[in-house]
Amino acid sequence: MTVRLSEAERAAVEANAAAARMATSAYLAEVGSAPLVPAPAGPGGAAETGPLLVELMGVHRQVRGAATNLNQAVTRLHSTGEPAGDLAATAAYLARIAARVDDLVTAIAAAQTGRR
């Protein structure tokens, strides 16, 4: 697929991808396949939630990667009967990411409802 962007659009997409800690093509695929969400009503609604949604997409990528690592560690546990050295660390990392997701979802909900 070929995407045509103005210089300003390209710069914005690349900046958003960098903020999400994603490759530009992965960012475009993630954003382009996400369901459409109406912009929140109220003053500054879209401006407030935009950066939060970009951050949430980055966290989504981290959760996918960490879940894969945890699955591999559990698979080793099941096959050997012994926990792999990274099992506890991976579970702790997922707990930290889950807390970050909770904070972001709360912030997005607050921005959409106008509550802080």
Side-chain angles (χ1 to χ4, degrees):
M1 172 179 289
T2 301
V3 178
R4 297 174 202 272
L5 302 170
S6 69
E7 287 299 317
E9 290 168 332
R10 181 183 181 107
V13 168
E14 288 174 347
N16 288 340
R21 295 185 279 295
M22 298 174 77
T24 303
S25 59
Y27 174 80
L28 286 172
E30 184 107 11
V31 172
S33 63
L36 292 176
V37 178
E48 290 180 26
T49 58
L52 294 172
L53 291 173
V54 168
E55 181 71 13
L56 189 57
M57 286 177 6
V59 171
H60 178 255
R61 182 186 53 77
Q62 288 179 310
V63 168
R64 277 195 328 251
T68 298
N69 292 345
L70 183 61
N71 185 44
Q72 291 169 349
V74 169
T75 298
R76 283 193 298 273
L77 173 65
H78 286 262
S79 67
T80 66
E82 297 289 325
D86 59 348
L87 180 58
T90 301
Y93 176 72
L94 273 170
R96 288 192 307 273
I97 295 299
R100 193 167 161 213
V101 168
D102 290 343
D103 292 344
L104 282 168
V105 168
T106 300
I108 289 170
Q112 288 183 334
T113 61
R115 297 185 191 133
R116 295 282 173 211

